[in-house]
Amino acid sequence: MQKEVIIVIGGGITGLTVALELAHLGKHPLVVERGPLLGGRSASLPCKATDRCLKCNNCLVEDTLRQIKYDSPFEFMTHTTISDIRREAESWYVTLETGPFFIDWEKCTDCGACYEACARLGASGVVRGASINQHPFFGIDQKACSCLQKGADPACVKECPEGAINILTRPQTRQVKAHGIVVATGYTPYVPPEKNRFGYGRLPNVITTQEADEMLRESGAVTRPSDGRVPQRVAFVQCVGSRDRRIGREYCSRICCGYSLRLALHMIHKYPDVDITIFYMDIQNFGKDFEKYYSEVKDKAKLVRGLPGDFYALDEGKISVSYFSEEQQKNVAQPFDLVLLTIGLSPQEENPDLANMLGLGINEDGFLRPSQADASAVVVAGTARGPMDVAECICDAKSAAFKMANFLEGS
Amino acid sequence: MNSESGKHRVRAKLETRAQELTERLELQSVRSCYICRTCTSSCPVTFIDPRFNPLAILRMVLYGKIEEVLNSDFLWLCTSCYSCQERCPQEIPIADIMTKLKNKAFKLGNAPVGVRAQMDIIKKAGRTYPLDDFDNKKRAKAGLPELPTSCDVVKTLFESETESLK
Amino acid sequence: MTDGRVNRSVLVVGNGPYCFKVAGELASVDSVSLAVLREARLDEMEQKPNLVELLMPVELLGFSGQPGEFRAVFRQTNGSHAERTYGFVVVALESEWISTLNKWSVVEDSRITSLSKLEKYVNEYLGNIGPGDKVVFISGFKQDSYPVSQEKIVNFAAAVREKTGAATYVLMEQFKVAQEGLERAFRLARELGVVFVKFSQTIPEVRVGPKECTVQYMDEAMGQAVNISPQLLIFEDEACPPPEGRYISDLLGINLGNQGFLQGDFLFNLPIYTNRTGIFVVGSGKGPISEREAEREAEAVAEEVAKLVCSFDKEVVGPFPTLNENECIHCLTCYRSCPHKAISLYPGQRSPQISPVACRGCGICVESCPRRAIDFEHGESGISYYDIDKEIDHIVYEDSRDVPRIAVFACVNSAYDAYLLAKSRGDRLQARCSVLKVPCGGRVEAAAVIKALGSGVDGVAILTCHENSCKSVHGASRCRKRIAAVKEMMTKCGVKEEAILFGTVAPGSAPQFVELINRFSLRLQGGDGSSIIPGNAGSGGEAR
């Protein structure tokens, strides 16, 4: 009997969970990930615990990755994109392109020789995972490779004791016959445009929450990019890239209120003297502990209803933020050491193309929607469908796996 | 039921007057506001004089308190810098709304004395700062060309416009 | 499992229409029994499941057993008892919406009502409303509001405004728009002329007279007081846990959460798990959720059940605890301490039985057994990290130079990963660490800590998950309490307790791991003034 392969597009938490569930049911998923590593964006979420877990959900991701690392329950391909999908009778013919730069994960032992070789040259062509449970733990970012730019033989290839690094002139192609497709392509974080009133991109101490996350994961603290110091006064600006018709995003990103309140509590726990102000429109419920966290933040930080207006540079890297003070009934400008823009979740740019190829719909917000006609041969799961948190993604992935398994049983 | 519907008519009438004004001035877009306060926090005037608060004005229009706005002094504090309009996430043309309200207030004779005086100067001289021979002498000393001391085009424009304002 | 046969049927427990939907999704199992605890309207069923048995209304009297062999005892209205065996249980209780009128000290009448009443009698309430009338909705203030109920308010307000022409006001603490399409629905309602008012400093005042009721409030955005005499005043309801929730959770041995809503407050519960394998909770019983979310959970639970059915066919791999019947004194400590209720007592069996399906290998039973009668069978892989005693005997410390030597008990779900990550990053530790991988902090016995301390180290660190992200529910909190007890004991014995550290660290938090160890190391070197070992901070050693 021929294996009934299911292509899972996207190696983030949703795609991996779908694949894991399908594998448990005895199916044969193949995860296709365009990036160098498995785990997606959620793999680098930093822990925001105080003396209690605040449910940033990274541990859920770690747990999933751990299962995959030790059990290898399904096949996956990193550095791989889909160049063509054809539907013939009951099957999909999917053309996959790997590389031209990639690490053969079956040979790779995660020893790190490649990373060290690349770092010695001062380049960042070899990227490292954020979680020890990511296998492969290293990947190639061909745009950042300095060896090829200089026309030299890449150092990483020479240093790899297993010969696992492939640097080809053309991508390797492979055609796969699939019985079903799961779309788990996720979201893209909103990036403020070049000209924005927040001063993002212009003022070094105005950063996005994504950048704060990376910093927290990497170094264990959120500090000021300008001088690496721990900020005394921090402003969070909510709804950057969400709930905004002007930029075509008329939806709430759902996860950012919880994100900010958690990060605020974490920072206060770590540095009790830190003075945090959160500018918000409306606080959205997040999880079952909503009331608990919300009232704790109300006690320990300042919540200001209303989005701030102007952001000006002050001395010593400080930022002046102007807002309407309800108490004083007038506009005031307050200096902050660090401004965190709580950015929303945006639909992937490729969504229209993908929808076209697979006969999917696009909702009013630009996220993917299962088509009415051929709902079960193609299943959409996770943040590709709209904003949701990690726990919801996992739940959504399980429901997607169920739908896919049902479809395969029925066909 | 008859007295019921009669009651409805009376109440409806009160509401309609404000509604009519809203429609005539095309201010319905104020309804889109979801109170994010970006307009107010971006307003350079609110910084200096909190009597002017764009959000509060939008809310007053929404509640049908247009007359109150038209009779106010604070409406005239708006400098038309367009910060609010540029930033409004609901794309409400806030600065344009202020202009519409100011025009209506002017028509009702509610413009402050200073604004009226300024209008008269522009009407006469075509500029807010009228030029005379003294200015041209100074310009000539500096090697600058002479400028006209009156502007008939503006006068003509005003003639037709003041008719409509009456 | 005692007789080698596996029951693949599912018991769905519910109290309303949702449980019928859930039962309908469970197509992959042998059979579904639906126990509805009250009379529910069958015509609300969207999809009629292929039920073997519908028990309605029914009382659940007793419950015991393990996945694949859960036993439930019912009493039906006619007084007859029934006993059934099930493979799995899905709790699909729904939360209730309770009127908040009494919180506002008002009484329901033709002008004042709750959202759920309006939903039921919409034509009656709106029949007399016309242009010029005023309708006010109040959301929040006395209770938390949810996107699901606000969605209803938005839709009603828009309909009232459009169909009756009445001036419509919605007074709310927060716009809860975190649901697909809700932001847009809000705007459409506003564009129809519904006035939404937000409050953050004040709350509206409601007065009810014999002739008219008035709502007085401060429009904070306008900075002016507003006085409305509405012809219809509607209050949002409060979401309350299912009344049957407490009883059912006690009976099934599943943890209850915040405010009596179902499902314990643990990270790994996701939206559908409980502390017990084979028992799931879905739907609004855990707190209000949208219909789409409820549907998703029903599908996800169907997937979980299908997966468990598959797992029954597979052999149990990995370490699994076994009980030495000759040592067991039937004290039932293991039975009580198992966070997943995987240990059962059966009539006729001499000792407690550990279910291999329900056991998640945390080792808390091993730690708790006073007779050391429970042991882990070591898998073929030769993983021996469950045998902590042996591990301690084999702790090897290289030349310690000037830095303290620390034995670290690291939970495999968190601290151990953080340690490995720190190692691969090349982070520098100011200590010579010997890291022992443990299945859960709850596995670490007091004796093991003392033994490690006696093996010639300068300090012992026990690093676990944070309390409510512990995979074995109360493993981390047990560990914390145990360590506190050990410290107290040591103080009493005149030994400095500073040589022991209890800490929590997440699996991805390499910097936090390093910080914890380095601070501990400093403390051991007398960094806080109390010198335990002679010598000062040395050059340190790398984590690898």
Side-chain angles (χ1 to χ4, degrees):
Chain A
M1 208 185 93
Q2 221 185 343
K3 280 202 291 187
E4 289 193 334
V5 173
I6 304 131
I7 299 262
V8 179
I9 311 174
I13 183 63
T14 308
L16 295 179
T17 307
V18 172
L20 204 54
E21 296 290 320
L22 287 171
H24 280 310
L25 295 178
K27 313 287 179 214
H28 300 98
L30 168 63
V31 174
V32 178
E33 166 58 43
R34 67 175 165 191
L37 308 169
L38 290 185
R41 301 191 190 283
S42 59
S44 50
L45 283 171
C47 171
K48 298 183 192 71
T50 55
D51 47 4
R52 280 175 71 77
C53 164
L54 296 186
K55 298 191 183 145
C56 74
N57 286 339
N58 176 257
C59 290
L60 295 175
V61 185
E62 297 275 0
D63 197 52
T64 308
L65 290 171
R66 200 181 294 126
Q67 281 180 55
I68 295 163
K69 182 177 176 180
Y70 291 107
D71 299 346
S72 318
F74 54 80
E75 209 187 326
F76 63 84
M77 295 167 78
T78 52
H79 292 100
T80 302
T81 53
I82 292 175
S83 60
D84 186 44
I85 299 179
R86 270 185 309 121
R87 182 88 200 251
E88 256 172 53
E90 293 300 296
S91 305
W92 299 91
Y93 290 88
V94 183
T95 312
L96 303 170
E97 279 190 0
T98 306
F101 291 17
F102 64 96
I103 294 180
D104 185 342
W105 60 268
E106 280 175 324
K107 288 184 189 162
C108 171
T109 60
D110 294 343
C111 70
C114 52
Y115 185 82
E116 278 161 25
C118 191
R120 270 197 299 273
L121 296 171
S124 53
V126 178
V127 291
R128 187 172 63 185
S131 159
I132 195 68
N133 293 310
Q134 279 169 299
H135 175 69
F137 189 53
F138 299 95
I140 309 281
D141 177 3
Q142 71 183 78
K143 280 183 212 123
C145 174
S146 67
C147 294
L148 278 202
Q149 275 164 18
K150 282 183 263 174
D153 279 346
C156 55
V157 178
K158 277 183 280 174
E159 292 288 329
C160 180
E162 311 294 329
I165 302 177
N166 296 281
I167 302 218
L168 310 172
T169 44
R170 272 189 302 143
Q172 278 187 344
T173 58
R174 170 180 166 190
Q175 201 183 49
V176 180
K177 182 184 169 194
H179 285 74
I181 292 176
V182 179
V183 182
T185 45
Y187 70 97
T188 185
Y190 176 77
V191 180
E194 203 186 322
K195 283 184 180 165
N196 62 80
R197 74 171 196 269
F198 311 109
Y200 177 73
R202 186 164 51 82
L203 308 176
N205 295 331
V206 176
I207 60 172
T208 66
T209 41
Q210 200 201 355
E211 288 158 339
D213 263 359
E214 283 161 14
M215 217 189 281
L216 188 54
R217 179 90 184 195
E218 188 58 31
S219 69
V222 179
T223 49
R224 301 210 315 170
S226 67
D227 53 14
R229 292 212 326 240
V230 174
Q232 265 297 300
R233 304 178 94 176
V234 182
F236 284 79
V237 183
Q238 297 300 111
C239 298
V240 176
S242 306
R243 303 188 68 184
D244 193 339
R245 274 167 86 192
R246 181 172 290 278
I247 55 166
R249 284 177 178 83
E250 194 177 16
Y251 57 87
C252 163
S253 291
R254 290 183 51 130
I255 61 167
C256 355
C257 279
Y259 175 93
S260 292
L261 299 198
R262 288 183 178 103
L263 184 57
L265 287 177
H266 176 80
M267 289 170 83
I268 293 166
H269 175 74
K270 190 144 194 206
Y271 306 104
D273 293 336
V274 69
D275 185 355
I276 290 178
T277 306
I278 301 173
F279 296 99
Y280 73 103
M281 260 196 265
D282 299 284
I283 294 290
Q284 307 298 328
N285 290 53
F286 48 92
K288 290 159 71 177
D289 302 316
F290 167 74
E291 275 299 329
K292 212 164 54 189
Y293 295 159
Y294 182 42
S295 56
E296 200 180 335
V297 172
K298 274 198 277 192
D299 285 348
K300 295 179 176 170
K302 192 170 156 197
L303 282 159
V304 174
R305 190 101 187 228
L307 301 182
D310 296 311
F311 295 73
Y312 293 127
L314 299 173
D315 288 349
E316 295 169 341
K318 286 189 169 62
I319 304 112
S320 153
V321 177
S322 71
Y323 65 95
F324 183 77
S325 156
E326 200 117 27
E327 297 90 56
Q328 301 176 49
Q329 283 294 307
K330 66 171 190 184
N331 275 1
V332 295
Q334 206 182 312
F336 288 97
D337 299 316
L338 183 70
V339 172
L340 291 171
L341 306 178
T342 313
I343 50 170
L345 276 55
S346 295
Q348 293 281 23
E349 255 175 50
E350 299 85 353
N351 282 358
D353 292 342
L354 211 53
N356 230 340
M357 264 203 281
L358 297 169
L360 296 166
I362 295 250
N363 76 8
E364 284 174 287
D365 305 331
F367 292 97
L368 291 170
R369 196 167 47 188
S371 72
Q372 296 302 315
D374 195 11
S376 32
V378 183
V379 177
V380 188
T383 47
R385 294 208 306 165
M388 54 179 93
D389 70 17
V390 171
E392 287 173 315
C393 279
I394 292 177
C395 195
D396 204 44
K398 286 176 192 284
S399 100
F402 175 70
K403 282 187 214 155
M404 183 51 74
N406 264 2
F407 166 74
L408 294 174
E409 304 279 302
S411 67
Chain B
M1 268 326 269
N2 253 349
S3 67
E4 270 296 303
S5 55
K7 185 184 76 187
H8 285 152
R9 264 203 302 279
V10 178
R11 286 206 206 103
K13 227 178 188 174
L14 286 166
E15 207 195 313
T16 0
R17 209 181 300 156
Q19 226 165 45
E20 256 176 41
L21 207 51
T22 311
E23 272 162 36
R24 202 139 35 88
L25 297 176
E26 293 176 340
L27 307 176
Q28 295 94 324
S29 57
V30 298
R31 289 172 167 183
S32 301
C33 172
Y34 62 170
I35 324 177
C36 68
R37 294 181 198 268
T38 305
C39 50
T40 299
S41 62
S42 301
C43 180
V45 180
T46 315
F47 245 101
I48 298 158
D49 192 339
R51 279 184 304 157
F52 181 75
N53 181 330
L55 175 63
I57 294 173
L58 296 187
R59 295 296 287 178
M60 287 167 85
V61 173
L62 185 67
Y63 276 99
K65 297 179 176 213
I66 302 184
E67 306 263 352
E68 200 180 319
V69 178
L70 295 177
N71 288 322
S72 72
D73 289 342
F74 58 72
L75 174 63
W76 296 90
L77 294 172
C78 173
T79 60
S80 307
C81 74
Y82 277 75
S83 290
C84 51
Q85 185 157 336
E86 287 299 326
R87 290 174 181 179
C88 175
Q90 291 290 342
E91 301 184 299
I92 303 170
I94 306 172
D96 292 343
I97 287 172
M98 297 300 163
T99 307
K100 281 175 186 167
L101 288 166
K102 280 191 262 187
N103 280 341
K104 181 67 189 171
F106 190 91
K107 280 183 198 175
L108 295 170
N110 293 349
V113 186
V115 173
R116 290 195 163 274
Q118 209 166 37
M119 192 196 77
D120 287 338
I121 294 169
I122 295 172
K123 203 160 100 182
K124 241 194 293 186
R127 305 176 191 280
T128 45
Y129 176 78
L131 291 167
D132 55 19
D133 293 345
F134 175 73
D135 296 283
N136 272 330
K137 257 186 216 160
K138 273 208 296 190
R139 289 180 65 86
K141 259 190 203 165
L144 290 167
E146 196 183 5
L147 285 174
T149 50
S150 73
C151 184
D152 290 336
V153 184
V154 173
K155 244 180 241 174
T156 322
L157 277 173
F158 261 97
E159 264 152 31
S160 57
E161 186 57 23
T162 31
E163 280 309 304
S164 75
L165 281 175
K166 265 169 194 166
Chain C
M1 304 265 261
T2 38
D3 58 354
R5 258 185 334 110
V6 174
N7 189 323
R8 299 174 176 196
S9 61
V10 178
L11 169 68
V12 179
V13 182
N15 59 358
Y18 176 62
C19 63
F20 292 96
K21 283 189 197 169
V22 173
E25 290 289 352
L26 294 161
S28 59
V29 291
D30 290 358
S31 65
V32 179
S33 284
L34 185 53
V36 190
L37 303 178
R38 346 173 182 150
E39 204 67 64
R41 277 163 56 195
L42 271 166
D43 56 288
E44 288 179 32
M45 274 173 63
E46 265 181 19
Q47 171 182 21
K48 199 171 166 143
N50 187 18
L51 285 181
V52 170
E53 193 170 31
L54 171 66
L55 303 155
M56 180 175 78
V58 74
E59 205 182 331
L60 192 53
L61 288 183
F63 187 83
S64 61
Q66 291 296 338
E69 42 161 14
F70 286 124
R71 268 192 299 277
V73 184
F74 302 101
R75 180 168 60 207
Q76 286 178 283
T77 28
N78 60 14
S80 65
H81 282 54
E83 191 182 318
R84 302 271 187 282
T85 309
Y86 298 101
F88 317 97
V89 182
V90 178
V91 181
L93 294 170
E94 291 170 62
S95 62
E96 290 197 319
W97 294 97
I98 307 279
S99 162
T100 55
L101 264 62
N102 59 336
K103 290 191 174 184
W104 289 89
S105 310
V106 294
V107 183
E108 189 183 312
D109 64 17
S110 60
R111 307 160 299 172
I112 302 167
T113 191
S114 64
L115 188 60
S116 45
K117 273 280 167 63
L118 176 73
E119 228 179 333
K120 241 185 196 162
Y121 306 106
V122 61
N123 293 330
E124 285 84 343
Y125 278 114
L126 296 181
N128 281 331
I129 304 295
D133 279 341
K134 292 186 171 75
V135 177
V136 174
F137 290 84
I138 295 187
S139 159
F141 304 106
K142 309 272 183 185
Q143 88 286 353
D144 193 19
S145 58
Y146 294 87
V148 254
S149 54
Q150 286 206 346
E151 183 183 25
K152 283 182 193 163
I153 291 177
V154 169
N155 291 337
F156 270 122
V160 167
R161 176 73 195 158
E162 205 176 13
K163 294 200 177 107
T164 69
T168 311
Y169 300 83
V170 182
L171 316 185
M172 42 183 35
E173 271 186 285
Q174 315 274 352
F175 287 10
K176 306 257 178 165
V177 288
Q179 197 175 295
E180 191 186 334
L182 204 45
E183 181 79 51
R184 201 167 287 111
F186 254 107
R187 175 172 55 85
L188 294 178
R190 291 197 303 273
E191 284 174 357
L192 283 169
V194 178
V195 176
F196 286 91
V197 191
K198 273 196 225 178
F199 293 80
S200 40
Q201 317 278 319
T202 57
I203 68 166
E205 236 178 82
V206 178
R207 273 196 218 109
V208 181
K211 278 200 169 161
E212 61 170 24
C213 53
T214 55
V215 180
Q216 265 185 342
Y217 64 87
M218 182 73 186
D219 188 298
E220 294 170 10
M222 182 165 63
Q224 285 187 24
V226 179
N227 208 333
I228 303 173
S229 302
Q231 277 67 43
L232 184 60
L233 178 58
I234 301 118
F235 292 92
E236 185 184 31
D237 298 298
E238 180 175 12
C240 295
E244 302 91 346
R246 192 167 293 274
Y247 175 72
I248 290 294
S249 61
D250 279 353
L251 199 62
L252 301 189
I254 55 174
N255 293 332
L256 209 57
N258 201 5
Q259 300 159 17
F261 281 103
L262 286 170
Q263 207 188 32
D265 169 24
F266 288 96
L267 177 78
F268 283 96
N269 277 348
L270 290 173
I272 55 171
Y273 295 138
T274 68
N275 50 311
R276 297 198 65 178
T277 306
I279 303 181
F280 305 92
V281 282
V282 291
S284 65
K286 297 172 274 116
I289 51 172
S290 71
E291 241 171 70
R292 199 172 115 179
E293 285 169 289
E295 200 181 302
R296 176 166 73 197
E297 289 181 12
E299 285 164 358
V301 90
E303 162 65 20
E304 283 301 319
V305 168
K307 198 167 76 178
L308 272 180
V309 167
C310 282
S311 79
F312 280 153
D313 299 334
K314 291 176 194 151
E315 231 176 285
V316 178
V317 285
F320 173 70
T322 48
L323 189 129
N324 180 348
E325 296 208 358
N326 297 327
E327 288 293 326
C328 176
I329 51 162
H330 318 289
C331 67
L332 305 187
T333 309
C334 57
Y335 170 80
R336 278 177 281 124
S337 64
C338 175
H340 304 112
K341 299 238 178 340
I343 302 176
S344 300
L345 301 164
Y346 294 106
Q349 295 271 9
R350 223 177 84 82
S351 311
Q353 302 292 308
I354 305 170
S355 160
V357 178
C359 173
R360 302 188 197 171
C362 66
I364 290 178
C365 57
V366 180
E367 183 266 355
S368 72
C369 180
R371 296 280 301 168
R372 297 196 151 210
I374 307 175
D375 204 355
F376 269 103
E377 267 180 13
H378 298 167
E380 280 170 27
S381 55
I383 298 173
S384 65
Y385 62 82
Y386 295 94
D387 203 342
I388 292 178
D389 254 18
K390 242 184 234 159
E391 285 249 328
I392 296 167
D393 289 340
H394 290 101
I395 295 181
V396 181
Y397 297 95
E398 296 162 42
D399 164 35
S400 78
R401 282 178 287 178
D402 291 333
V403 291
R405 288 165 303 167
I406 300 174
V408 184
F409 292 95
C411 169
V412 74
N413 295 310
S414 52
Y416 194 73
D417 277 353
Y419 159 68
L420 292 181
L421 185 61
K423 213 166 100 167
S424 78
R425 283 160 41 118
D427 291 344
R428 292 181 73 80
L429 290 175
Q430 299 295 324
R432 285 269 156 205
C433 288
S434 178
V435 182
L436 286 84
K437 184 158 78 168
V438 293
C440 170
R443 165 69 184 87
V444 182
E445 296 140 332
V449 176
I450 294 164
K451 185 173 177 184
L453 209 55
S455 72
V457 295
D458 302 310
V460 177
I462 303 95
L463 304 180
T464 74
C465 310
H466 295 90
E467 283 189 15
N468 44 342
S469 62
C470 172
K471 265 187 105 175
S472 20
V473 189
H474 53 234
S477 58
R478 275 180 76 92
C479 182
R480 176 176 51 78
K481 287 175 197 157
R482 180 115 320 160
I483 300 308
V486 170
K487 283 186 174 185
E488 202 187 311
M489 222 157 64
M490 289 176 57
T491 315
K492 277 184 187 154
C493 299
V495 183
K496 281 215 166 126
E497 53 130 337
E498 279 86 352
I500 300 180
L501 171 81
F502 172 82
T504 49
V505 61
S509 301
Q512 281 85 348
F513 179 87
V514 174
E515 199 185 321
L516 269 171
I517 293 295
N518 288 354
R519 269 214 221 141
F520 186 38
S521 169
L522 209 64
R523 191 169 94 187
L524 292 172
Q525 293 169 78
D528 60 350
S530 57
S531 182
I532 290 170
I533 59 155
N536 285 316
S539 54
E542 276 192 14
R544 58 183 67 219

